[in-house]
Each structure stands twice: as structure tokens, then as C-alpha cells.
Amino acid sequence: MIARSLLFLPLLFMAICGSKASTSFQNPVIFNDLADIDLFRVKDTFYYSASSMHFSPGAPILQSQDLVNWKYLGHSVPSLEFNSPAYNLEDGMRAYARGVWASAMRFRQSNNLWYWVGCVDFNATYIYTSSAVTGPWEQKTVLDGTCLYDCGLLIDDDDAMYVTHGSTVLSVTELTSDGLDLGETQIIYNSTVGYVEGSRMYKRNGSYYIITVQPTNGQYILKSDNGPWGPYDFGVILNNTSPPTSLKGGDTPHQGALVDTLDGQWYYMAFVDVNGDSTGRVPVLSSLNWDENGWPVLTLDDGNTWPQSLPYPVGSGATTGNSDSSLQGKDTFATGKLDSQWEWNHNPDMKRVTVTPGEVRLSTATVSKLDDIYQARNTLTHRTLGPASEAIILLDYGNMADGDRAGLALLRDSSAWIGIRKDGDVSKLVMRNDMTMNSTDNWSTITYGTDEASILVHQTGKKRNIYLRVVGDFSASGTREAQFSYSTDGTHFAALGQNFTMANDWQFFQAYRFAIFNYATKALGGSVGLKEFSLYSVPV
Ligand SMILES: *[C@@H]1O[C@H](CO)[C@@H](O)[C@H](O)[C@H]1NC(C)=O
Ligand SMILES: *[C@@H]1O[C@H](CO)[C@@H](O)[C@H](O)[C@H]1NC(C)=O
Ligand SMILES: *[C@@H]1O[C@H](CO)[C@@H](O)[C@H](O)[C@H]1NC(C)=O
Ligand SMILES: *[C@@H]1O[C@H](CO)[C@@H](O)[C@H](O)[C@H]1NC(C)=O
Ligand SMILES: *[C@@H]1O[C@H](CO)[C@@H](O)[C@H](O)[C@H]1NC(C)=O
Ligand SMILES: *[C@@H]1O[C@H](CO)[C@@H](O)[C@H](O)[C@H]1NC(C)=O
Ligand SMILES: *[C@@H]1O[C@H](CO)[C@@H](O)[C@H](O)[C@H]1NC(C)=O
């Protein structure tokens, strides 16, 4: 806690002096992988829901008072209970790039419930609700056999609930009055501009609007002045728009959401796919006005470019970016629980995790005879912070068992790690790379990794602490290189192995994550203690 409050000292200083306070914000508003943005306001507070695919808990929720400074608040999907053991990494099965994507979240005033709706695996739609945004969220309905694909949720003034969904052929489906079952459904748009998806539905000044995406260079809008069933007219919000200058190399901002402020100003927040996902899909914000005929006009710079900087939407911007400890800082697990920025790779086996103030104790949960990190349960992940950042963990490896592997990975479909491998009585600190999965074969493992560099470590006694560090340049215009290093005192780090070049194919749909893992290759029984996790941005 002390370390965390220290982080705020410079900001406090800036606020008191007033000299550095800015009235403008910079894009991206959060340099984290948070795709398929849904966004809405309840009174003076904004909420952001995003995709998380195979990470658990799923559907992260962030909260903000000004649309610029955000913090992780919770998850709508506490566990990926989607009718498949693959979500538990059981029976040799895996669910990479499945799970939670393009879902919708809203608050319903009339019954004081928060709703989350999402199609999973193309064959079922799940609805979760909670009476508090922070949970507990419950799975209320499985609409088996129905995929409300890429859905958007509107709760109308008269409390009717509408879901817009589909690709190219877009539909509106009314939900039953409890919001938990399907009512009337109608096709409202057969696209004449090509493939579209990722729709959201709004009402403003009596008109209904559906925004929809042509991946990845068009963001369109449909408008009906005759109720939710249409007919809808077609308009364009963005067409081949360049991303803000800070995200050079990214594509047109898309698949976002509209929101208004308490004083009636409108904003559009969309994501930019930076270099095919090695950084991830990060949110950018711009303001939006409405013309006399009720069509939106987005604020863009000359030359069809998304603005790099704009005045703060709400307030004067006492801080100049995201300062919340859920985004960067040192986590010592002081509260004795994992905060909302943490997600596991697939559903964890919580019988083998103990979180106490000051330590996350990870007992091995999987025996992988193939030494396959992709099949290992209980890998704890944290989003990387762009454009460049470093993560450091303090790991107690004194209780590892023969055959165990534990450390800090950069995890994606092509991964590398630094950590300890214990074989017999010999413990080695290794930098291991070349762990890859096959995107066209349900993410089966192609290569299990090679120890690129290793040094013997002496393991006498039960308590053995080591600092492991990854520094990565995740920016689209950067090197996509990461360096792995270690330290015994937390100050002097020595590199181990060559730099690792991160992959940037889009098929995985999730960016690299810092991942703390501990798995067995022989037998369960060992454990490691994660004492600290620090994450800071570093100069590109
Ligand atoms: C949907 O498909 C997935 C993958 O094929 C399967 O594992 C799951 O059981 C199916 N879900 C339902 C509700 O039928
Ligand atoms: C879309 O096409 C379907 C099938 O051809 C047709 O039944 C429907 O009326 C059309 N809807 C609209 C809104 O164009
Ligand atoms: C609302 O729509 C009406 C026309 O239906 C128009 O006269 C009025 O200016 C609109 N109000 C706003 C705030 O756009
Ligand atoms: C987008 O712009 C291109 C030209 O750059 C044009 O050909 C296309 O018709 C536009 N798309 C829409 C939907 O207006
Ligand atoms: C990936 O899977 C595809 C389809 O099963 C297969 O044709 C291909 O050889 C695999 N690639 C590698 C590198 O194993
Ligand atoms: C991948 O999994 C899907 C759904 O379970 C199955 O239909 C498909 O055949 C699998 N593909 C391969 C290459 O194994
Ligand atoms: C290795 O990667 C780090 C982090 O991105 C970078 O600072 C460093 O310059 C790279 N080293 C080499 C030799 O490329």
C-alpha cells in the first residue's frame, strides 16, 4: 500500500502546483488491449466493457469519471462456464481465441440490474446479471442454439430491451420484459456496402441509431425515425480514417461505442488495431456533434485523421493520463485478493491458488509431460502497457518440485519466458523461447520451446527469491522486441538470452500478456510465491 501511494506523489505534486495540469487528453486513452468497446454512462459515471476471449474472469469492466482516466473495476463473467471442458484446459483441450468477444453491457434502472449479453462459440447466447456492477454476477440464461452475433444492447425509455446483432444481415431482437429471453425479431438492414458486423444501438431525440463496422476501415450508422424496427437510412461516420499520430501503423479506429456526458456532449470511443495485435487493440476517443438532420459528425483533423489530442470531455483534466494503480504501479497483493486487472489463462483451479496479504501462492495445477505452457492451468496474466513497458516480478521459488517450471512469460501464440526449471536437484534460471501454436489447427502446440540461455542457481533452504523482468517495445512503429533479465537485489538486472521478437498476426485476437506461471512436468506438489508485480511504462 505504501508503495502504491508513493506512485501518486508526483501526480499530487503536479495537481498542487497546477503547472503541469493539462486541459487536453492524449490518444490512446488507455494503452491496453481492450477491444470491442462497449461504453455507457450511469448518472455521472462511465463504464467500459471489453472482450477477453480465453482469459478468465471474462468481460472486464472499467470505470471512469471523465472518459479519459480509467480503472479496472470488475468482470461480468466470473468464470468461463460455456459448456466445454476446453475452458478449463482439461482433457488436453484448450479454448484459445474463443470465449468472450463483441458482447454488450448496460444498467437497467427499472429493476436495478446490470446486464451482460454475449454470443459464445457461435452457438449460444449467455446473459449474466448483477445487482451491483462489482458483482456477484450470475449466469441467468443460456439461449442454446441462438447466437446474437456481435451484439449491442439498448434499453429504451419505455424500458423495452433491444439487441442488435448479425453480420451483413443485421437484425433487431426484442428481449422479454425480464431481459432474459428472446421476443420479436426482425432483419432491419441487408448491407449494400459489403461485410459489416460489430453493431451497437442507441436512441437520441426520438430516433433510433445502429452503428456498425466494415472491418477495418469503415464505421457506419443507420438511422430510423420510425421506431426500432425501421426503416433505417444509411450514413457514414468514418471511412479510411487514419489513426492518431501516436498509433502510426494502426488501422482506422472502429468497433466502438457512442456515449453522452451529463451536459449533453457526445463522444465516440473506438479501438485501433496496432500492428496486428502485438500491442493489442487500444481505445481512442473523439467528440461528435449532430447536424440539423440528426446525423453525427465526428471531430477529425485535416486529412481524415483521428485527433491525437482534444479538450477533456468532463472537468479540466487535473491528471494527464491514466494514473490508477490498476493500470501501472507496484502490486504487493496487500489486500489479500487479486484486483480486477488480473485474469487467468482459461479458468483457474482455485484449489491450487492461495492469495494472502503479500503473496499469491501458486501450487502446480497441471502435469504437462510435454512441457507445454499452453496446456498449463493457473497462469496469471496482466495486460501489457504500450507503447513500451517493463514488468518485474519477485518470485519465491524455494518450494519447487522436481520437473517444475515457473517464471514470467510474454504469452501469446508465440511466447518466451524467463524463470526457473527444476530437474532432480538441479535448478536452472533459463530464458526459453520458441513456444508456438498453430492458428489453423485449433491452436495446437507446434513447438514446446528451447532453452536459449541458462545458468545454475543454488537452491539451499526453503526460501529463495529472485526478480524477473521483461522490457518490451510493443509499439506499432517500434521493434516489437522484448528483453528478459533477472536480479537478486531488485536493482541490478542482468540480461539472459537474446531479445525475443514478438509476433503480430491478428488471428489470436489478444495482445501479448505478462504471465506468471508454475506448472509441473512430473508430479503435482510444488509451489511458488508471487510477492510483487511492478509495471511501468518506459521510453520507446
Ligand atoms: C458450442 O460449441 C462448442 C465448440 O464446438 C461446444 O464445446 C459447446 O458445447 C457448444 N455449446 C452449446 C451450448 O451447445
Ligand atoms: C433483407 O433480406 C431478406 C431476405 O431477402 C428480406 O426478407 C428482408 O425483408 C430484407 N430486409 C430489409 C430490411 O431489407
Ligand atoms: C430533435 O428533432 C427535431 C425534429 O424531429 C428537431 O427539430 C430538433 O432540433 C432535434 N433536437 C436536437 C437536440 O437535435
Ligand atoms: C469510402 O471511400 C471510398 C473512397 O476512398 C469510396 O469508394 C467508398 O464508397 C466509401 N464508402 C462509403 C460507404 O461511403
Ligand atoms: C497447422 O495446421 C494445419 C492444419 O491442420 C496444417 O496443415 C499445418 O501443417 C500445421 N502447421 C504446422 C507448422 O504444424
Ligand atoms: C477445431 O475445432 C472445431 C470445433 O470443435 C472443429 O469443428 C474443427 O474440426 C477443429 N479443427 C481442426 C483442424 O481440428
Ligand atoms: C532488446 O530489447 C529491448 C527492449 O525492447 C531494447 O531496449 C534493446 O535495445 C534491445 N536490444 C537489442 C540488442 O536489440
Side-chain angles (χ1 to χ4, degrees):
M1 283 320 266
I2 288 170
R4 283 189 185 201
S5 8
L6 278 176
L7 184 68
F8 291 105
L9 279 180
L11 292 165
L12 203 63
F13 182 75
M14 274 157 54
I16 290 165
C17 295
S19 58
K20 287 268 174 60
S22 170
T23 54
S24 298
F25 71 88
Q26 299 288 326
N27 277 314
V29 290
I30 320 170
F31 219 132
N32 273 11
D33 184 29
L34 290 162
D36 307 336
I37 299 160
D38 201 2
L39 192 61
F40 59 99
R41 178 175 59 81
V42 180
K43 300 196 179 90
D44 63 351
T45 303
F46 300 97
Y47 297 91
Y48 181 147
S49 170
S51 293
S52 50
M53 314 303 283
H54 50 272
F55 292 103
S56 178
I61 305 164
L62 292 89
Q63 189 187 55
S64 175
Q65 299 304 128
D66 61 11
L67 286 170
V68 175
N69 292 283
W70 292 89
K71 66 175 179 193
Y72 284 90
L73 186 70
H75 290 86
S76 299
V77 177
S79 175
L80 312 181
E81 303 304 329
F82 299 143
N83 197 32
S84 165
Y87 287 101
N88 301 333
L89 286 173
E90 281 172 347
D91 305 329
M93 296 173 71
R94 50 187 64 183
Y96 289 104
R98 285 167 54 185
V100 169
W101 40 263
S103 54
M105 180 187 166
R106 282 294 180 279
F107 174 67
R108 191 185 199 189
Q109 194 92 50
S110 64
N111 59 3
N112 227 32
L113 283 183
W114 303 76
Y115 283 78
W116 179 90
V117 184
C119 165
V120 177
D121 285 333
F122 303 95
N123 58 3
T125 297
Y126 293 79
I127 300 179
Y128 286 70
T129 67
S130 177
S131 53
V133 64
T134 48
W137 285 81
E138 277 178 79
Q139 190 181 95
K140 283 292 187 188
T141 309
V142 185
L143 301 170
D144 211 343
T146 300
C147 174
L148 300 179
Y149 177 84
D150 274 21
C151 56
L153 177 61
L154 168 72
I155 299 174
D156 208 343
D157 315 327
D158 64 0
D159 206 37
M161 293 174 77
Y162 299 102
V163 177
T164 181
H165 56 96
S167 58
T168 308
V169 176
L170 302 184
S171 297
V172 166
T173 295
E174 185 169 356
L175 300 180
T176 50
S177 59
D178 60 2
L180 299 177
D181 208 344
L182 303 169
E184 183 184 351
T185 188
Q186 275 185 40
I187 295 172
I188 51 84
Y189 178 61
N190 293 308
S191 176
T192 52
V193 293
Y195 185 86
V196 294
E197 62 176 8
S199 305
R200 304 261 176 231
M201 191 169 179
Y202 300 94
K203 189 181 193 181
R204 177 192 165 269
N205 194 25
S207 297
Y208 289 80
Y209 294 90
I210 291 173
I211 60 171
T212 190
V213 190
Q214 184 165 38
T216 59
N217 293 317
Q219 181 73 50
Y220 308 136
I221 186 159
L222 309 172
K223 175 174 186 276
S224 162
D225 299 331
N226 302 288
W229 308 109
Y232 283 85
D233 295 326
F234 177 89
V236 175
I237 302 180
L238 290 173
N239 184 3
N240 288 309
T241 301
S242 302
T245 51
S246 60
L247 297 174
K248 204 159 156 274
D251 59 11
T252 294
H254 62 284
Q255 202 157 346
L258 302 175
V259 73
D260 64 346
T261 61
L262 259 186
D263 64 0
Q265 303 302 305
W266 283 78
Y267 288 83
Y268 175 51
M269 190 187 274
F271 71 75
V272 174
D273 195 335
V274 186
N275 214 14
D277 289 345
S278 81
T279 309
R281 295 178 287 171
V282 300
V284 295
L285 185 67
S286 187
S287 57
L288 181 145
N289 294 299
W290 300 88
D291 72 15
E292 67 275 15
N293 299 315
W295 290 96
V297 181
L298 192 71
T299 305
L300 293 174
D301 286 346
D302 290 345
N304 198 16
T305 300
W306 192 283
Q308 173 56 37
S309 179
L310 281 177
Y312 256 84
V314 178
S316 60
T319 58
T320 52
N322 280 288
S323 55
D324 193 79
S325 61
S326 68
L327 283 118
Q328 63 174 316
K330 182 185 278 193
D331 194 343
T332 56
F333 313 103
T335 59
K337 65 176 191 57
L338 288 172
D339 292 332
S340 305
Q341 65 272 23
W342 291 102
E343 290 167 2
W344 300 91
N345 178 22
H346 294 65
N347 289 329
D349 174 359
M350 287 308 284
K351 293 190 301 296
R352 300 184 188 280
V353 181
T354 319
V355 189
T356 50
E359 186 188 79
V360 182
R361 176 68 36 187
L362 298 171
S363 300
T364 49
T366 301
V367 179
S368 174
K369 295 207 156 46
L370 293 168
D371 209 335
D372 185 1
I373 193 172
Y374 295 121
Q375 202 61 44
R377 296 189 79 176
N378 291 15
T379 296
L380 186 58
T381 74
H382 196 292
R383 284 173 182 76
T384 57
L385 180 66
S389 56
E390 66 168 17
I392 302 173
I393 66 165
L394 174 58
L395 189 75
D396 167 8
Y397 63 94
N399 193 42
M400 287 175 72
D402 177 17
D404 289 0
R405 318 285 183 239
L408 174 63
L410 264 182
L411 192 70
R412 204 170 181 266
D413 57 333
S414 168
S415 304
W417 56 258
I418 184 166
I420 306 284
R421 60 174 296 161
K422 185 163 181 180
D423 296 294
D425 289 334
V426 181
S427 294
K428 283 182 183 167
L429 176 68
V430 306
M431 187 268 169
R432 189 171 175 86
N433 64 16
D434 196 29
M435 285 146 274
T436 57
M437 286 190 285
N438 190 338
S439 63
T440 58
D441 185 31
N442 289 332
W443 306 102
S444 61
T445 301
I446 303 171
T447 49
Y448 298 88
T450 310
D451 290 350
E452 154 137 356
S454 73
I455 48 179
L456 278 175
V457 289
H458 297 289
Q459 194 191 21
T460 54
K462 277 285 170 202
K463 211 177 180 79
R464 279 288 163 269
N465 287 345
I466 191 162
Y467 292 89
L468 304 172
R469 181 173 75 168
V470 182
V471 188
D473 175 356
F474 305 97
S475 66
S477 49
T479 60
R480 297 202 329 273
E481 284 197 10
Q483 187 181 54
F484 291 78
S485 56
Y486 68 98
S487 169
T488 49
D489 61 8
T491 307
H492 303 97
F493 282 85
L496 191 66
Q498 300 289 306
N499 272 7
F500 169 67
T501 303
M502 292 178 269
N504 68 336
D505 52 306
W506 60 269
Q507 287 88 345
F508 197 66
F509 284 113
Q510 290 280 282
Y512 274 94
R513 292 206 180 181
F514 299 118
I516 298 103
F517 64 93
N518 180 31
Y519 64 90
T521 62
K522 291 187 177 160
L524 299 183
S527 70
V528 295
L530 173 64
K531 305 289 204 182
E532 288 176 15
F533 174 87
S534 311
L535 172 60
Y536 295 101
S537 58
V538 296
V540 183

